[in-house]
Amino acid sequence: MADSRRLLVLDDDPTGSQCVAGIDVAFDLDPAIPTEVLAEPGSTCFVLTNTRALDEADAVSLTRRLLAGVLADPVTREGLHVVSRSDSTLRGHVIAEPAAIADELAAHDLAVDAILLVPAMLEAGRYTEGDVHYAVVDGEPRRVEDTDFARDATFGYTHSDLREFLEERSGGAVRAADVLSIGLDDIRTGGVDRVHEILAAARDRRWVVVNATEYSDMEIVAEAVARLEAEGRTLISRCGPSFVRPLAGQSGAEVVGADSITIPEGRLDHGLVVVGSHVGLTTTQLRAVQERGTLVEVELQVPSLLDGRREQYLDEVVERLREALLEDDCVLYTSRDLVRTDDPAESLAIARSVSDAVVEVVRRVRSVKPAWVVAKGGITSHEVAANGLGIRRARVEGQFWPGQVSLFSAQEAPEEVMGAPYVVFPGNVGGEQALADVVDRLTAAVAAVAPVAAVAPAPDAARATATIGWIGLGAMGAPMVRTAGAAGFAVRAFDLSPDAREAVADAATPVSSALEAATGADIVVVMVATPAQLESVLFGDGTSNAPGTGGIVSALTADTTLLIMSTVGPAAIEETVTALDGITTHVVDAPVSGGVARAGTGDLLIMVGGAEPDVAAVRPLLDALAANAPVVGPRPGDGQRFKVVNQLLCGVHIAAAGEALALADSMGLDLAQVHEVLNTGAAASFMFGDRGGRMVEGAHDGAAFDEVRSALSIFVKDMGLVSEAAREVGQEVPLAASAEAIYQCGSELGHDRKDDSIVFDVLRGEKG
């Protein structure tokens, strides 16, 4: 039914196209671009309006002006559905922008019957059920009113029930009682006919809440919308990224690999990374790229951009970069030494001057035709595309991970840019290795342009015959399953989330229960979060008859190898071994470290504890998942002991960084300078560099602690495991105990869901 729809998506920030592929995106606000793209029925065009960064009046004005330009062409009006694409956690001009769209459509004699509110983004754990919107935070579903998103300084709210939310955000103009609802039962039992019936009752811009926990829910709604539109009705949508996919007639994620990235002929063999973001994660990711030693570094020294020799300095940088790109991949980045002033206007001018310099360098370098360009940082990515590369229109080809980091190809741009892969990489996205992993995938694509004939190795016999039952498809489990599947293993995968099961269907066989996954498996992998979850997987929780909640112990045999990859502490592993006595003796303890990106590329560190024959049985799987999987002890639990030591060091280092910077702040020192200077000497550590950078940001803007890369609650749990392990062997751990007390204090202050770098505030005493 989407074949005749023309879908115009007005996107209020640069990331809304992360759930679709093969669709054009306008970086320029010229309405001629979407008008041309939408000339054919069944087409979709995103326009990056970035209105979330504008005040309401400017957002409304821009929305109406752009839409008016599109509606001026009578062809694009036929079958037009306008989407106001925004935040899946309900931020943005949620009332004003759809109203502006409806007003402009009315000015062109198109009366809007209904406004659909569909904020789901399933890839990020945001969904609606019972009219209540939820966000998964650290693996736990929460009503969005209970998350930090609801406390946004500009777009905050207090209701998760979307009908009440609309009344709140409209100041009572939209009454909750007047909002229609399409429930999950309407969708799954009544189907398209029932949804059509509900929508048909909507007139005069009636708001309609759409519940959705799976893509299939939204697909049914999209079909009902198409049927109504074919009957002459006019509907518009306010939605997160996920609903755009079925509206555009697409299904499934398009994850790009090296073999699916096209490098046009005539380009260099080397590419360019542009890093302009100063957030702590970006600094850490840049360091990871540098540590791999795969890029020539070209640094823009900020002080040199602000004095009288700016133009000469830029000439030197451009020439150095142009020459380097002939032989190597390069990274252009601004120096980490931020120049600050007490005058806000002057600070803004400095930031603008630095940004302009980055864009100018890219503009002058693009003529050598680098193989690809990666822009790191939300603002940077838009500036580099529109003003540095001169891209007016690009096509989103897919994402490097489902819902994250989009790959574009330039479709309307200067000749030297056309077709070149362009990667938009937001500043606060991905693990510490994610940027390096993207670069590796792009360089592999370049290498594949001139493939060398090779004989494919025969699959390892163990991979061809061993059957894997996998339980737990969270942030780490899902990419690990994909890696195992890509390596040739036959995997049956289960998670309580149906969407998580569906997301790995291209690499594994999804099953409906943990018991089904384990039955008949040679190796059963458990990848859950806590000791209680491990116990529940094995023996059931005794509280539910729901599918997937029963224990798997009945499926284990004397020949089954149980591979526990969760971080649950040595005591939980030893209790498991005891409980399984007489059922199976083959238990391998193998907690992982390395983050989501490495899980997806098979580059994890896995600390293995277990008897030699048992480890040998799982060795092919471990080698597929890890760059390094050493045996650290002969007993199940030894791997956990190693992981406990690892977490002790990490937890103490973070607390020490917070304490040092709190002292520096109390003494009136410049925190940015303290961090920069000490991070080059003997006091440097990974945690001081990474978390210390986040602490410096948080000291200047407390909202930085809301950008969670590692939640405080993780170290509350892990330092508890450290203490438990220490008590078991009678070892005093005074530093760990002190660090644990700091994390516990932060938890008591309500900081569980904030970034763990907030220990700075806890130690500084800023509790408000």
Side-chain angles (χ1 to χ4, degrees), residues 678-733:
L678 298 188
N679 207 34
T680 63
S685 69
F686 173 83
M687 286 303 185
F688 183 71
D690 179 63
R691 300 314 203 274
R694 302 185 203 172
M695 293 171 190
V696 172
E697 293 175 44
H700 291 281
D701 180 5
F705 295 128
D706 295 333
E707 298 290 339
V708 179
R709 272 86 83 186
S710 175
L712 183 88
S713 59
I714 293 175
F715 273 95
V716 173
K717 181 200 80 167
D718 286 358
M719 296 310 287
L721 293 176
V722 170
S723 296
E724 179 183 344
R727 284 193 300 270
E728 184 74 17
V729 296
Q731 173 64 48
E732 294 291 329
V733 284

